[in-house]
Amino acid sequence: MDSNSYIDGFLCAVPTARRDEYRQHASEAARIFRKHGALALIECWGDDVPEGKLTSMPMAVKCQPDETVVFAWAVWPSKAVRDDGMQAIDNDPDTHRQMQQMPFDGKRVIYGGFTLLVDG
């Protein structure tokens, strides 16, 4: 990545029994993101995500016992490309179909945009 790269980060809780369905959903989302300028969309299924006492990833997304934390990020060439890309994603009919078929509670997704600080 170069110093202009921009990252969108996502954290959510997915019903563990719906892992394969989520994988399909994430693969389609990656296609949509790349179509609109993202360099990559990386999705990671939690397998060592401890519950905290004060803060934790599971607490942040109100993860239930039958759910797994998913951590994901999209890499964009720049914030300007990301801003244009996200607007295009919001207007893409494929996105609206995806949103209707989300295999998780979209109200508990945490996300944000980040400038690159270290790429080591």
Side-chain angles (χ1 to χ4, degrees):
M1 285 185 276
D2 70 32
S3 62
N4 291 322
S5 295
Y6 195 79
I7 309 298
D8 278 320
F10 308 91
L11 191 66
C12 65
V14 177
T16 304
R18 297 181 82 179
R19 179 181 173 150
D20 289 337
E21 188 178 347
Y22 182 81
R23 182 192 318 260
Q24 292 172 353
H25 175 84
S27 293
E28 178 61 16
R31 184 190 67 76
I32 294 168
F33 271 62
R34 286 191 311 271
K35 173 176 148 184
H36 295 295
L39 300 173
L41 178 63
I42 295 92
E43 300 267 354
C44 304
W45 190 261
D47 74 349
D48 186 13
V49 187
E51 186 73 41
K53 292 185 180 178
L54 182 60
T55 63
S56 69
M57 288 180 166
M59 290 171 70
V61 294
K62 299 182 180 177
C63 193
Q64 302 300 308
D66 64 340
E67 294 177 323
T68 299
V69 173
V70 170
F71 175 59
W73 65 96
V75 180
W76 300 89
S78 67
K79 185 171 188 318
V81 172
R82 179 268 200 163
D83 290 347
D84 291 344
M86 289 303 285
Q87 184 174 16
I89 288 168
D90 286 344
N91 293 322
D92 190 317
D94 289 341
T95 302
H96 296 286
R97 281 191 290 281
Q98 276 289 96
M99 296 296 279
Q100 293 171 357
Q101 301 170 20
M102 290 192 319
F104 59 96
D105 182 359
K107 294 177 191 152
R108 291 187 285 144
V109 174
I110 296 172
Y111 60 91
F114 301 85
T115 58
L116 187 62
L117 186 60
V118 174
D119 180 13

